[in-house]
């Protein structure tokens, strides 16, 4: 439930995104909230050639910075 609320707060509506970890870290003395998530969906066929022989060969790590939220911005 908390994870669903986090996605809603961030404006993320893709139901294939699942949060796997949430943590608070300090980088150069600045507190940052870090959200790790996985985009996972089933692919039955290639979107380009329509072949049903789909190769599932791993994942890719991406880093995205989201705009910061402040108390004034939420008022």
């Amino acid at each position: 439930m908390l994870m669903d609320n986090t996605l809603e707060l961030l404006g993320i509506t893709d139901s294939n995104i699942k949060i796997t970890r949430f943590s608070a870290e300090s980088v150069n003395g600045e507190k940052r909230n870090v959200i790790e998530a996985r985009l996972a969906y089933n692919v039955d066929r290639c979107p380009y050639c329509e072949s049903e022989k789909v190769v599932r060969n791993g994942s890719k790590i991406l880093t995205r910075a989201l705009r910061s939220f402040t108390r004034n911005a939420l008022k």
Side-chain angles (χ1 to χ4, degrees):
M1 182 72 170
L2 172 65
M3 300 306 183
D4 293 334
N5 292 339
T6 302
L7 291 174
E8 184 178 334
L9 177 66
L10 295 172
I12 298 172
T13 58
D14 190 333
S15 62
N16 294 312
I17 296 176
K18 306 295 181 200
I19 294 178
T20 57
R21 191 173 85 107
F22 183 85
S23 63
E25 297 178 4
S26 180
V27 178
N28 296 329
E30 182 178 300
K31 183 181 174 185
R32 297 183 184 181
N33 292 320
V34 177
I35 300 170
E36 293 180 14
R38 177 173 291 276
L39 174 62
Y41 55 93
N42 293 326
V43 178
D44 296 328
R45 59 182 65 236
C46 174
Y48 303 106
C49 69
E50 303 285 323
S51 172
E52 293 183 5
K53 295 181 181 178
V54 179
V55 177
R56 292 167 177 83
N57 59 356
S59 61
K60 182 177 181 180
I61 296 175
L62 300 173
T63 302
R64 296 290 180 256
L66 302 174
R67 72 175 182 88
S68 62
F69 292 97
T70 63
R71 290 179 189 224
N72 293 334
L74 295 175
K75 289 182 180 178

